[in-house]
Amino acid sequence: MKVLCQFGIIFGVFWVSQCIETVLPFPFPSSVIGLLLLLGLLMLRVIRVESIREAADFLLGNLTFCLIPVVTSSMNYVDIIRENALPFFAVCVVSTIVTYAAVVWAVHLTCRLMKKGGDEA
């Protein structure tokens, strides 16, 4: 029952993000809205990490199963991908570098905040 409540919280945040997306006057992905909303709720301590940990771990552990349909359906567009291989490759390289830099920055910031919090305790 506990895990069902955790999934309910996660999918509730997703549903609210879908509603927010429909009322926005500009296109913005509901998945990003949901992540920002969940981050805000966690930072404001409205939702505790413990109240969604098991469901989130399960979803992250099985994330590859969600990507299988996307990868297999991309095989229908091999000719388009082949025509645009160079720009496609450039976007992949640039986005990988930017993502890596963002993760490094986030880890450094987290370590600094944890060390600062440990010094105060």
Side-chain angles (χ1 to χ4, degrees):
M1 189 67 173
K2 178 181 174 184
V3 176
L4 286 177
C5 290
Q6 292 179 6
F7 275 110
I9 293 169
I10 292 172
F11 289 126
V13 170
F14 174 73
W15 179 77
V16 169
S17 70
Q18 292 278 321
C19 294
I20 292 172
E21 180 193 28
T22 59
V23 298
L24 285 178
F26 50 88
F28 200 79
S30 64
S31 57
V32 175
I33 295 170
L35 287 173
L36 293 173
L37 185 62
L38 186 60
L39 176 65
L41 292 171
L42 288 168
M43 290 180 74
L44 293 172
R45 301 185 199 277
V46 175
I47 297 175
R48 292 189 348 253
V49 175
E50 293 78 30
S51 62
I52 60 170
R53 182 180 305 274
E54 292 174 15
D57 287 344
F58 173 79
L59 291 172
L60 287 173
N62 295 298
L63 186 63
T64 54
F65 292 114
C66 298
L67 298 176
I68 290 172
V70 174
V71 172
T72 55
S73 66
S74 68
M75 301 314 296
N76 295 329
Y77 305 102
V78 171
D79 54 335
I80 296 172
I81 294 171
R82 194 173 285 142
E83 289 173 10
N84 300 302
L86 189 60
F88 183 72
F89 181 72
V91 167
C92 288
V93 168
V94 170
S95 65
T96 300
I97 292 170
V98 169
T99 302
Y100 179 75
V103 168
V104 167
W105 177 79
V107 168
H108 281 291
L109 179 64
T110 303
C111 288
R112 199 174 316 136
L113 290 173
M114 288 175 67
K115 184 182 279 187
K116 185 178 180 181
D119 291 341
E120 293 174 0

